[in-house]
Amino acid sequence: MDPNYNQYAAQALMDQGYCDARKSIHDAMPVVDFQLEDHRVVYVEQPRSWRITRTNSTEEQNFYVYGAICRNELPPIKLSDATPSMKKKAIYLRQGVRITGLRSNGFNDDAVSIKHVHEMMKTYLKKEDIEVKPWNLSMYEGHWAVDASTRYFTPRKHAPTEAGLAFDMGVDPDGVLAHMRGDDLIHTMDNKVDYLREVKNDNGTR
């Protein structure tokens, strides 16, 4: 981080952002509102996965965390990025970010709630004889941070009836990912990430 970067001003903006985010309408739930007794883990056969839902719903529960990106591995994947070994590692290719709240108490509360979500999933999968790796916070210049990522591909054998999705032009402008997909991999909704951009109108509203 730039040594001249005003982290205290950034923290103030982060705290205000948390307040604004809570007032906004989201399809997702603030992860800090997660309550164990209100949620359950559900097994989905196609594509093979385990998802957290509300106890009275079959729809996957989405959560959101508010923070600043401090590290990223994001598209687009361009022809100049392609290497001979990339196709062999296609299943492991992913897009992801590390976000931090700097000194924001709201972000720290979110991080604790993420730990609770992980423990819920870990406890359920242990009954299925599936080992789950421990979840640990990352750090960024002395501040708590959270890593989040998703793979570009799902093994076709785990989603044999799923219809594959085309990659967005902003993700795969040169067709590098589409070329390495082959018959064994598929790009599904679970691999898709939505990227949004804030736009200001002429009157200054967003």
Side-chain angles (χ1 to χ4, degrees), residues 126-142:
K126 186 176 181 179
K127 298 176 183 178
E128 304 292 321
D129 293 326
I130 299 174
E131 183 178 357
V132 177
K133 293 181 180 180
W135 182 81
N136 296 308
L137 276 167
S138 297
M139 298 295 293
Y140 180 75
E141 298 196 359

Side-chain angles (χ1 to χ4, degrees), residues 64-76:
Y64 74 83
V65 178
Y66 189 89
I69 296 176
C70 56
R71 186 174 299 173
N72 70 81
E73 188 175 350
L74 296 174

Side-chain angles (χ1 to χ4, degrees), residues 61-196:
Q61 177 67 66
N62 294 314
F63 301 99
Y64 74 83
V65 178
Y66 189 89
I69 296 176
C70 56
R71 186 174 299 173
N72 70 81
E73 188 175 350
L74 296 174
I77 303 296
K78 297 184 177 180
L79 196 58
S80 58
D81 300 321
T83 62
S85 62
M86 184 178 286
K87 185 173 178 58
K88 296 179 181 179
K89 301 177 181 178
I91 185 59
Y92 302 109
L93 295 178
R94 63 184 64 213
Q95 50 197 318
V97 295
R98 175 173 293 177
I99 61 174
T100 180
L102 299 176
R103 296 178 175 85
S104 170
N105 290 328
F107 183 87
N108 293 346
D109 291 340
D110 281 351
V112 172
S113 292
I114 293 173
K115 180 72 172 178
H116 294 160
V117 173
H118 178 270
E119 287 298 324
M120 178 186 185
M121 185 68 78
K122 179 180 177 180
T123 299
Y124 179 90
L125 292 178
K126 186 176 181 179
K127 298 176 183 178
E128 304 292 321
D129 293 326
I130 299 174
E131 183 178 357
V132 177
K133 293 181 180 180
W135 182 81
N136 296 308
L137 276 167
S138 297
M139 298 295 293
Y140 180 75
E141 298 196 359
H143 307 298
W144 283 6
V146 172
D147 292 324
S149 65
T150 188
R151 293 183 179 183
Y152 288 109
F153 299 108
T154 293
R156 168 59 82 176
K157 64 181 180 180
H158 290 163
T161 63
E162 288 285 304
L165 301 177
F167 286 99
D168 294 336
M169 282 298 297
V171 173
D172 190 29
D174 297 332
V176 175
L177 293 172
H179 177 70
M180 67 175 61
R181 177 165 40 196
D183 297 326
D184 299 330
L185 303 175
I186 186 173
H187 181 67
T188 72
M189 282 299 298
D190 283 346
N191 305 118
K192 181 177 171 60
V193 175
D194 293 326
Y195 292 97
L196 307 178

Side-chain angles (χ1 to χ4, degrees), residues 10-81:
Q11 179 192 341
L13 288 173
M14 197 81 66
D15 290 335
Q16 183 60 49
Y18 263 97
C19 294
D20 293 343
R22 294 301 295 267
K23 297 175 184 176
S24 301
I25 298 175
H26 291 273
D27 292 332
M29 171 189 291
V31 70
V32 73
D33 289 347
F34 170 77
Q35 296 293 327
L36 180 63
E37 60 272 18
D38 295 333
H39 294 83
R40 61 177 180 166
V41 178
V42 175
Y43 173 69
V44 178
E45 188 172 350
Q46 294 290 338
R48 185 171 180 262
S49 56
W50 290 263
R51 305 171 188 237
I52 291 178
T53 73
R54 291 272 197 165
T55 53
N56 59 352
S57 173
T58 58
E59 294 293 321
E60 183 176 18
Q61 177 67 66
N62 294 314
F63 301 99
Y64 74 83
V65 178
Y66 189 89
I69 296 176
C70 56
R71 186 174 299 173
N72 70 81
E73 188 175 350
L74 296 174
I77 303 296
K78 297 184 177 180
L79 196 58
S80 58
D81 300 321

